[in-house]
Amino acid sequence: MTFNQDKYLEDIKIKFNSYAPISEQSWKLIESLIEFQSVKKGELLLRNNQIAKEIHFVCKGALRAFITDTEGNIYNKNIFLEGDLAGSTASLIQQTPSYFEIEALEDSILIKINYKKYRELIFENEDLKNFYIAYLERNWVIEKEQREISIVMENATERYLDLLSKYPDISERIALLHIASHLGITPTQLSRIRKTLEKDL
């Protein structure tokens, strides 16, 4: 698969800087850890009980993080599209087995970064430390709390509309069963919501 590496390097640089300003010197250090990776639809990047070693930036494509319970029911924890950072944060930090798996929902181009080396750079560079704190605060405090509130306070239609506002083309790219699981509803419920919204247009 041929692709424009310079464009995707610029994309991830913009992503990092959206959290906190990063010096060119620190960015060169991050760039030294970057590896490009092409994955096929259905390929697993992380398996249940595997210890996570890498962070993935989605250059092009889609991933999902999902959990399978003891009865074989599958729950989508997160869906990641272009510009998202994906990984099992708890597994990376603690170096413990992951409870969920990460799968490619489309043929995808990713940037992978070795977490151990990346963490070493964070502790050695103040601007990267600031980035890391801002990233954790936004994704694992603010957005996590907003999602938890949304599940309790918003109905399924509102949650679906919120998802569409963030990813307008998601329903054209990703199977409805995955979207429904991410929203905490059944595919039948999602189909009803979509039909009602189409009537209202």
Side-chain angles (χ1 to χ4, degrees):
M1 188 187 293
T2 58
F3 51 87
N4 186 339
Q5 288 194 6
D6 290 340
K7 177 194 180 302
Y8 296 141
L9 285 171
E10 186 62 25
D11 288 345
I12 190 173
K13 185 177 182 181
I14 291 169
K15 179 72 172 182
F16 271 60
N17 278 297
S18 72
Y19 291 97
I22 294 173
S23 69
E24 281 300 316
Q25 181 182 356
S26 292
W27 182 249
K28 291 295 182 188
L29 295 172
I30 292 291
E31 270 194 327
S32 71
L33 303 182
I34 283 175
E35 289 182 51
F36 282 91
Q37 181 180 17
S38 297
V39 294
K40 294 290 185 186
K41 181 178 178 178
E43 190 173 332
L44 289 176
L45 296 160
L46 180 68
R47 297 177 183 275
N48 184 32
N49 285 323
Q50 181 182 347
I51 296 174
K53 303 290 185 189
E54 293 148 346
I55 302 164
H56 294 90
F57 175 78
V58 184
C59 301
K60 187 176 188 304
L63 310 176
R64 69 168 174 144
F66 67 96
I67 299 168
T68 307
D69 68 19
T70 53
E71 296 177 0
N73 299 307
I74 294 173
Y75 304 92
N76 281 352
K77 181 178 180 291
N78 276 309
I79 291 174
F80 306 100
L81 297 180
E82 287 85 1
D84 287 335
L85 288 161
S88 173
T89 305
S91 177
L92 285 165
I93 292 172
Q94 299 176 99
Q95 282 299 283
T96 54
S98 173
Y99 286 105
F100 60 85
E101 301 185 75
I102 298 177
E103 176 191 26
L105 293 176
E106 297 177 333
D107 291 351
S108 302
I109 299 167
L110 311 172
I111 283 174
K112 66 177 182 179
I113 299 173
N114 179 283
Y115 181 76
K116 184 180 177 183
K117 293 177 181 176
Y118 160 77
R119 194 171 170 85
E120 288 170 0
L121 291 183
I122 288 167
F123 285 106
E124 292 168 359
N125 297 273
E126 197 68 26
D127 53 348
L128 293 179
K129 194 179 294 181
N130 291 338
F131 154 77
Y132 190 60
I133 292 168
Y135 173 80
L136 291 177
E137 285 179 343
R138 191 188 303 177
N139 289 275
W140 295 102
V141 179
I142 299 169
E143 289 188 9
K144 183 175 182 289
E145 185 173 290
Q146 287 172 345
R147 179 168 164 76
E148 289 167 350
I149 291 169
S150 167
I151 289 170
V152 175
M153 301 297 291
E154 295 183 338
N155 62 39
T157 300
E158 289 169 330
R159 296 201 301 276
Y160 178 57
L161 289 171
D162 286 345
L163 188 66
L164 286 181
S165 70
K166 188 177 180 183
Y167 303 118
D169 64 344
I170 192 169
S171 59
E172 297 161 22
R173 296 174 56 184
I174 293 174
L176 293 185
L177 68 95
H178 293 317
I179 296 173
S181 177
H182 178 65
L183 295 171
I185 59 177
T186 66
T188 303
Q189 287 174 299
L190 180 56
S191 292
R192 288 193 194 120
I193 289 167
R194 285 164 53 81
K195 283 176 185 173
T196 300
L197 291 172
E198 284 168 10
K199 286 179 187 173
D200 292 343
L201 291 175

